[in-house]
Amino acid sequence: MLSVLAPYSPFLVGLILLLLLIAFATEIRPPEVTAIGAAGLLLALGLISTDDILATMSNPAPLTIAAMFIISGALVRTGTLDLFALKVTGMAKASPVMATGLLLVAIAVLSGFTNNTPLVMMMIPIGITLAKELGERPSKILMPISFAAILGGTCTLIGTSTNILVDGVAQKQGLEGFSIFEIAPAGVVIALVGVSYLALTRRFLPDRDTMTSLLEDDPAKRYTMSVFIVGTSPYIGQIASQLDLFRSGERRLIDVIHNDEPIEQSHAEHVIREGDVLVMHTNEADLITIRERGKLPLTKNDDKQQFVPMSSHRSMLAEILLLSDSHLIGHSLKEAALPQRYGVHPIAMHRRGSNLSERYDSTNLEVGDTLLLEGAQANIRRLVEGENLINVSEPKTRGFRRHKAPIAIAVIMAVVVAASFNIMPIAGLAVLGMAAVLVTRCIEPDEAFASVDWRIIGLIVAMLAIGTALERAGLVEMMVAAATPWLSGLAPIYALAAIYLLSLLLTELVTNNAVAIVVTPIAIQLGLSLGVDPRPFVIAVMFAASASFLTPIGYQTNTLVYGAGGYRFLDFARYGLPLTVLIAVTSIAIIPMIWPL
């Protein structure tokens, strides 16, 4: 540390932490970028050393979380989760209401043993299918799917990266590590209470329009047609969007190509030139009319051929969800050039509760955006696989290695059983499980490492370094020393409630993994200063840091369903506030019953 800064280290670290939390809450930059930047600043100021950065790699949490991502990826790749999804979809036709309840319960159970992010990604199309069977909007089911996954993740140590991270930080503070099912007695009760709320209150969720609600007809009966403007056309010199050709409600201009390249400007404002190719959308009946007449009927009075049909193909409209690791994130649709690369045309974009149909092509894409795309089914599937997207309009149709499913199931069960008997630390078991699914080819190496959310890993490593700075500066002890006089005269249950509420507040404003690293040391030191077992305080941090039901940004699964369900930001607060209070009361009441204060 620079000697001149040594006396001010607590103040500097506290200031950097405050700025970091503000940056998280305002989303100035992605959270992992913000955290890495803060860690770099601490390193530059000498508040942590290079050895401190390297020491974060000795924490078992990052390796454990990465390995569990790969094991979860193997469950997806072998079709294990998809098989369950197909069974639920089939049941929906006979008993949709029962299927919905079963879906929420099963998601909660599965998320206790698999990473909930890929689980929710798999269940979004299933939820939309169920909503159609029920005659409901997807907004009636997608938010409960995310919340059920969050609740189920709190039942075991490996159910969520937050639990694994809290355990790693607690061990670094000298606390004995948690076993895989140690939190299950309280977690199961909390999950049952939460899932019951979700099952009984779905009718209070709003009816929101999604991108697919823009469709007027059956998507399978839509066609994309290319037409060439001949030199004698009187439409040369006119603005494309004003052509009477497109005054018919059955036709829509979706692109203009000149000299084999799409035009740079908005195609609606393009001035038609000889040789332009207009890509238009129409329905099956209109296309048959065009083919029967051998020309395009343009006006009632003028039936002369002024356009030459070049090609037509059956197309569909698909609603596409952007994931955190999608290759399109940070790029605009114009830069992505989807028509040229995939033969797929963007129609509209949905972001933060609004459907955008104009001037969306130059907007940089973000996590949770949904796109309405039009193109041949094969092209859309090629786009989804090539850019790591989700087609929420239909369940995933990629090939699975179903003959490997028993191996993937056996691996996750072996990890759980071995961890429950403390045969080996969970980090070691996760690595063995990862090795097993790779060696047996349940998942290929490129698929395995693509299934890891490296943003989360980067965020965790950076936050561990920031946690080291908090410890070195003595900031945790200072905060606990300031709070102890206020809490020492109260029953420990109030201190437990304070830690829970602090974690809950921060997890809605910043990321849950950041909360785990910042608040866990405070919880341990507070418990010790009050002369009680710090373990229940750490468990309170685990539960509260995952109880993100008030905003779509506090937890990644909420962000995924935010766009897919067409929700508005405050929809989460309206529906999630009663659940938040219910879970908080249940947690604060049950934790001392199992882990006495």
Side-chain angles (χ1 to χ4, degrees), residues 464-524:
L464 285 170
I466 294 168
T468 299
L470 295 176
E471 181 181 345
R472 288 283 178 84
L475 196 59
V476 172
E477 290 78 3
M478 292 174 61
M479 288 188 286
V480 171
T484 301
W486 295 88
L487 298 173
S488 59
L490 301 175
I493 185 68
Y494 293 107
L496 182 74
I499 285 294
Y500 185 96
L501 294 177
L502 174 63
S503 303
L504 180 64
L505 174 64
L506 289 177
T507 201
E508 296 295 354
L509 298 176
V510 302
T511 68
N512 52 337
N513 290 318
V515 172
I517 292 172
V518 173
V519 182
T520 300
I522 298 175
I524 293 172

Side-chain angles (χ1 to χ4, degrees), residues 154 163 166 170 175 178 182-184 186-187 190 496 499-500 503 520 523-524 533-546 587 590-592 594-595:
T154 61
N163 293 352
V166 169
L175 220 60
F178 287 81
E182 184 172 345
I183 61 174
I190 292 168
L496 182 74
I499 285 294
Y500 185 96
S503 303
T520 300
I524 293 172
D533 183 7
R535 212 165 186 82
F537 289 82
V538 175
I539 293 169
V541 175
M542 284 187 183
F543 290 161
S546 293
S587 300
I590 198 171
I591 289 174
I594 302 173
W595 300 273

Side-chain angles (χ1 to χ4, degrees), residues 247-288:
R247 290 177 186 171
S248 167
E250 306 300 337
R251 300 174 190 162
R252 182 171 67 253
L253 180 67
I254 60 176
D255 204 0
V256 178
I257 298 174
H258 185 77
N259 292 332
D260 296 326
E261 295 289 339
I263 60 174
E264 293 293 331
Q265 68 190 90
S266 170
H267 59 255
E269 301 172 358
H270 175 68
V271 177
I272 298 294
R273 292 171 286 182
E274 180 182 356
D276 281 350
V277 176
L278 304 185
V279 183
M280 75 173 190
H281 165 274
T282 187
N283 64 14
E284 188 172 25
D286 192 46
L287 182 67
I288 292 174

